[in-house]
Amino acid sequence: MDKFTTLSAPACPLGLENVDTDQLIPARFMSRPRSAGYGRFLLHDLRFDEAGTSKGFVLDTRYSTAKIMVARRNFGTGSSREAAVYALWDFGIRCVIAPSFGDIFASNAVKNGLLPATVTPEDAEALLQRLGEVDQPITVDLEAQTITSGNFQCGFVIDPVRRLQLLNGWDDLDLTRRHTDEIATFRAARLGAEPWVMPVTE
Amino acid sequence: MSAPRTLFDKLWDSHVITTREDGESLLWVDRHFVHEGSHHAFRNLDARGEKLAEPGLTFGVADHYVPTRGRPAIPDDEIAGMVDRLSANAGKHGFRLFDIADPAQGIVHVVGPEQGLTLPGLLIVCGDSHTSTHGAFGAYAFGIGASEVAHVLMTQTLWQKKPKRMRITVAGRLGPHISAKDLALHVIRTIGADGARGAAVEYAGEAISALSMEGRLTLCNMSIEGGARCAMVAPDEVTFAWVRGRPYAPKGAALDFAIAAWRELTTDPGATFDREVALNAADIAPLVTWGVSPEDALAITAQAPDPAAEVDPARAKYLAEALNYMGLSPGQNLETVVVDRVFIGSCTNARIEDLRAAAGVLKGRKAKVPGLVSPGSTLVKKQAEVEGLDRIFIEAGLIWADSGCSMCVGMNGDLVSAGERCASTTNRNFRGRQGKDARTHLMSPAMVAAAAVTGRLTDVRKLG
C-alpha cells in the first residue's frame, strides 16, 4: 500500500453533504474490472449525461487535477462498495476532508492509502469558502495533522491506528501473518468450548 | 465478580484473538457470506496465490445481480459473467453456494437467518453494508469492504478497533399499522444519518421485545442508515424459537447447550453505554421519506419542508436541491404526491411477514400503478404461494417475481426509469439508487401497498 505523509495539491470544493457511495460510483459500473480504471465513474451521474457527454462539472473543468476533495458532513455514507474508493483513487484523489465520514468508507479508504481527514464543520465551511474564492493548493500534513491553505490553517482528526497505517503504508495481511499460531489456538479453543458455532453439515 | 458488561462487550470479548498495543484487536470470524460483488476480493486472493482459509465457514449467495424473471436464463452477458464468476469461485475454493437455481436461494441477509447460519453469539461479516441485519439474533454482524473481504477469505480474521456502545431504548408499544420500518425511520430521523456513526447499537425496551424476528431484522438492517457499525437485539425466546429446526442450526442436545450459552447474551445490570437514546413508540406514525437521505423522513400526514423557512443557508440549499431532485414543491402535502410505481422487496422488507402485511392491504383491491414484488428468498416465495399471497399481488395487478436484490440497487436491470417516482420497501433513497434520476420514497410494506391502491403516498390507517 502507498504511504501517506504530506500532500500539497489542488483541492476541489464539493459543497455537498451526504455524498453517498451510490453517487460516488453508481452500481451499474461495479462489474467492471479495476484494470479498466475507475476514475471516469467517480460521481459519474453528476459529471456526464445520458450520452456520456461532460456536463462541465467542476471535476472536469476547474478542478480536473485535484488530489484533495473538501465536502460537507457524512461523506461516503451508504453501501460498503470499496469501488467508491477505487473511483476516487483512480481519478487522482488522495485525501478527502469532511466533518464526518461513512464508517465503512473511511475504513476502505485507509486500506487503499486514501486519507479521510475529519475537520470541524466550521473548518470545512472555511475551506469551502476559501477554495471558492481562490485557487490555491492545500497542504495536508498527516504527521502534524494539519491542513494549510495560504494563511489558513486547521487541524484534523484521524484514528491514531489508521494514521500509523497510512504513514507506514502497512498492509493488514502482513501483520496478521505474525499471529498464525494464535489464530490456530483460538480456533481450536472456540470450536472446542462452543461446538454450536460450527454450521451443522447437511 | 467481573465488571458488568454490555451485550456487545460479551460478543467482542468472545472473539478477540489478540490485541495490539495500539488498541486494534484481531477478531475471529464465525461466518463469512460472499456474493457476486465479492469478485474484487477473490481476484486479490488469486493475485497473492492464497487459499481460502475456512471453506466450511464461508457461504456464497447469488443475489446482487441475479435476474428476478425468466430464470435461469440471464440474457445480459455482463450480468451472467458476474453470476458465473461467483459459481467458479465457489467451485475452485470449495464453499457452499446458494446459486441462482438453488431452492434456498435468496438475498444473503434473508438466507442466513432462514438457513440457521445466523445464530446468537456469532461474529458475521459480508461485503455488504446491510450485514448489520444479522444482529437481530444477538450476533456481532457488520459490513466490510473488498480489502477486508480478501483478508477474511485468507485468514478468517479481521482487525478492528472496539467501537463505542450505544443503546436505543424504545418504551411502549407500536400502534396499529406501525411497523419495524417506521420505527427504524423514526430512529434515523431522530439521530440523523450519521447519528450512530461507527457505534455498536443495542436496541432495548418493550417495543423491541415485542417485535417478531422479522421486525428485529428490519430494524437492525436499517441501522447502517443511521451510521451504525452494527446493531443488535439480545436473544430471547422469540430468537430461540426461530432457530429451532433450521437446516444449519444446532439440534437436540447441542441446541440445548447453545441456548444455555445464548441466555448469557444480555447486557448486565449496571453496564454502561457511551451514549443512550430514549424513544417512545407512541410517538411513531407511518413514515415516508421525502428526500434523498433516509434521515429525510416525515409522518405521512406532514408536509415537505420549505427551504425558505430554514435559517441555515447550507441546510436551505440541501433542502432545495433534495426537493428539486425529488420533484416536490416546498410545503407540499405528502399525501398528494403521485407515484409511478411500487416495489416490494429487498433485505429490509421482503420476509414473509412483510409480504403478509402488504397483501393484507391489497386483498380485494387493484393497484393503480405498476409494481414488482420480489420475495426475500425462494423459500419465502414458496411460503407466500402456500398462503395464496401471490394471487393477491397478481390479482391486484403487480408482478410476482423471483428473489434477489432487484430494484433496491438495480444491478440486475430491475430499474426505476429517470424521473419516475417509486414507493419502495427498500433501505436507500439516495440519488440514482434505483436507477439514474429515479425518485425513491422509503416506507413500510403496508404503506407501499396503500400507495399502490391509491396511486399516491397514502396513510395506510385511512384504508382500514
Side-chain angles (χ1 to χ4, degrees):
Chain A
M1 189 177 94
D2 293 14
K3 292 181 185 181
F4 190 110
T5 48
T6 61
L7 173 66
S8 288
C12 172
L14 195 68
L16 303 172
E17 62 181 89
N18 289 328
V19 177
D20 55 72
T21 53
D22 278 85
Q23 287 182 79
L24 285 170
I25 179 167
R28 62 186 182 277
F29 300 119
M30 285 162 48
S31 57
R32 311 283 173 87
R34 175 78 184 274
S35 54
Y38 272 40
R40 187 182 160 83
F41 308 144
L42 176 66
L43 293 167
H44 183 279
D45 292 348
L46 287 176
R47 292 167 58 200
F48 303 103
D49 66 14
E50 291 289 348
T53 309
S54 171
K55 295 182 188 174
F57 191 70
V58 288
L59 283 176
D60 297 304
T61 53
R62 187 168 163 185
Y63 301 104
S64 61
T65 59
K67 289 187 181 302
I68 298 167
M69 193 174 268
V70 184
R72 293 199 165 102
R73 69 180 264 269
N74 209 20
F75 187 92
T77 184
S79 119
S80 61
R81 60 187 70 167
E82 199 159 305
V85 178
Y86 303 160
L88 285 161
W89 185 273
D90 289 357
F91 183 88
I93 303 293
R94 297 291 177 266
C95 170
V96 180
I97 300 168
S100 61
F101 291 91
D103 185 43
I104 306 175
F105 171 84
S107 168
N108 289 342
V110 170
K111 291 188 191 310
N112 287 275
L114 189 148
L115 168 64
T118 305
V119 295
T120 65
E122 294 74 26
D123 286 338
E125 292 306 319
L127 279 166
L128 285 168
Q129 190 182 353
R130 203 184 158 78
L131 288 168
E133 290 162 3
V134 286
D135 277 339
Q136 188 165 39
I138 283 184
T139 300
V140 179
D141 184 336
L142 181 55
E143 187 72 52
Q145 289 184 236
T146 56
I147 295 167
T148 310
S149 172
N151 56 11
F152 175 87
Q153 188 173 67
C154 66
F156 67 89
V157 177
I158 180 165
D159 175 82
V161 174
R162 288 180 173 170
R163 176 172 167 273
L164 278 181
Q165 284 174 338
L166 284 164
L167 284 171
N168 295 294
W170 280 337
D171 181 299
D172 277 346
L173 191 67
D174 299 338
L175 298 175
T176 310
R177 290 303 185 204
R178 297 180 202 163
H179 299 281
T180 304
D181 292 347
E182 286 161 277
I183 294 170
T185 304
F186 182 95
R187 181 190 194 278
R190 178 153 177 81
L191 272 45
E194 313 281 358
W196 54 268
V197 303
M198 284 302 284
V200 171
T201 47
E202 289 169 296
Chain B
M1 187 74 191
S2 56
R5 294 185 297 166
T6 67
L7 163 58
F8 179 73
D9 293 329
K10 294 177 184 181
L11 293 171
W12 175 269
D13 292 348
S14 63
H15 289 89
V16 173
I17 298 165
T18 186
T19 300
R20 291 200 311 247
E21 274 182 23
D22 62 19
E24 289 252 318
S25 293
L26 187 64
L27 303 181
W28 176 255
V29 173
D30 295 306
R31 298 284 186 277
H32 185 198
F33 294 115
V34 296
H35 55 81
E36 306 98 303
S38 308
H39 65 105
H40 287 292
F42 280 107
R43 196 169 288 131
N44 188 336
L45 187 77
D46 292 342
R48 290 177 186 256
E50 294 265 354
K51 279 198 324 190
L52 175 60
E54 297 279 354
L57 301 179
T58 308
F59 293 84
V61 184
D63 60 1
H64 277 67
Y65 285 85
V66 291
T68 53
R69 284 160 279 177
R71 285 187 188 176
I74 308 179
D76 183 300
D77 286 346
E78 202 163 308
I79 289 172
M82 293 295 284
V83 175
D84 291 346
R85 201 170 302 144
L86 177 63
S87 299
N89 279 319
K92 178 177 173 184
H93 297 288
F95 60 86
R96 168 77 162 95
L97 171 66
F98 297 89
D99 68 13
I100 188 170
D102 195 293
Q105 179 271 345
I107 307 171
V108 60
H109 309 310
V110 179
V111 170
E114 202 167 67
Q115 292 298 311
L117 288 164
T118 302
L119 299 172
L122 298 185
L123 193 157
I124 301 169
V125 296
C126 173
D128 186 277
S129 58
H130 291 107
T131 307
S132 60
T133 310
H134 306 260
F137 285 78
Y140 176 19
F142 54 99
I144 55 178
S147 294
E148 290 177 314
V149 170
H151 190 273
V152 177
L153 290 173
M154 291 185 258
T155 67
Q156 201 62 23
T157 66
L158 261 186
W159 290 101
Q160 291 283 299
K161 184 179 177 180
K162 191 172 181 181
K164 291 200 184 307
R165 282 130 291 171
M166 177 172 173
R167 179 162 60 185
I168 299 175
T169 306
V170 189
R173 291 290 188 108
L174 296 171
H177 292 293
I178 313 293
S179 73
K181 181 62 157 292
D182 300 298
L183 174 53
L185 288 170
H186 181 72
V187 168
I188 297 161
R189 78 185 187 126
T190 304
I191 67 171
D194 55 356
R197 191 174 57 255
V201 171
E202 179 180 347
Y203 290 102
E206 186 190 356
I208 307 302
S209 303
L211 288 175
S212 63
M213 248 3 267
E214 284 91 343
R216 295 176 192 186
L217 287 158
T218 299
L219 182 63
C220 290
N221 171 280
M222 288 292 289
S223 300
I224 180 76
E225 310 309 334
R229 168 117 279 230
C230 61
M232 59 201 64
V233 176
D236 59 12
E237 297 305 326
V238 174
T239 322
F240 307 147
W242 172 287
V243 168
R244 211 176 286 279
R246 302 276 166 185
Y248 288 91
K251 313 267 187 318
L255 179 61
D256 296 339
F257 181 83
I259 289 177
W262 296 341
R263 287 193 195 283
E264 303 297 317
L265 296 174
T266 57
T267 289
D268 296 330
T272 55
F273 290 81
D274 297 285
R275 187 177 168 202
E276 297 253 19
V277 173
L279 301 172
N280 196 328
D283 296 339
I284 304 173
L287 297 175
V288 296
T289 60
W290 62 267
V292 293
S293 163
E295 70 184 7
D296 300 336
L298 287 168
I300 179 62
T301 49
Q303 291 79 39
D306 183 357
E310 182 60 55
V311 285
D312 174 7
R315 180 71 189 159
K317 180 167 175 275
Y318 173 82
L319 295 178
E321 287 172 356
L323 287 170
N324 179 50
Y325 181 85
M326 292 300 293
L328 300 178
S329 324
Q332 182 174 353
N333 280 321
L334 294 174
E335 285 185 279
T336 67
V337 175
V338 174
V339 302
D340 300 301
R341 63 173 54 252
V342 299
F343 177 62
I344 298 170
S346 86
C347 58
T348 306
N349 271 137
R351 297 178 185 84
I352 190 67
E353 191 178 272
D354 301 316
L355 299 185
R356 286 177 191 145
V361 175
L362 285 163
K363 189 169 187 180
R365 292 180 165 130
K366 295 283 180 201
K368 281 196 174 162
V369 293
L372 183 66
V373 185
S374 176
S377 72
T378 307
L379 290 176
V380 167
K381 185 180 189 199
K382 206 168 143 191
Q383 175 64 26
E385 288 170 352
V386 167
E387 296 179 20
L389 307 183
D390 58 322
R391 297 311 313 165
I392 295 174
F393 291 120
I394 292 165
E395 283 161 18
L398 303 182
I399 297 171
W400 179 245
D402 286 322
S403 179
C405 299
S406 184
M407 202 176 275
C408 176
V409 67
M411 289 174 172
N412 73 338
D414 290 342
L415 291 165
V416 176
S417 303
E420 264 194 349
R421 186 183 303 285
C422 181
S424 183
T425 66
T426 55
N427 42 58
R428 289 188 175 133
N429 52 338
F430 297 161
R431 288 178 172 87
R433 169 80 177 183
Q434 291 190 294
K436 195 173 188 306
D437 295 324
R439 294 163 172 162
T440 304
H441 294 274
L442 305 177
M443 64 199 80
S444 72
M447 286 287 286
V448 168
V453 168
T454 64
R456 55 180 170 76
L457 302 185
T458 297
D459 188 340
V460 66
R461 294 172 299 187
K462 293 181 185 167
L463 283 183

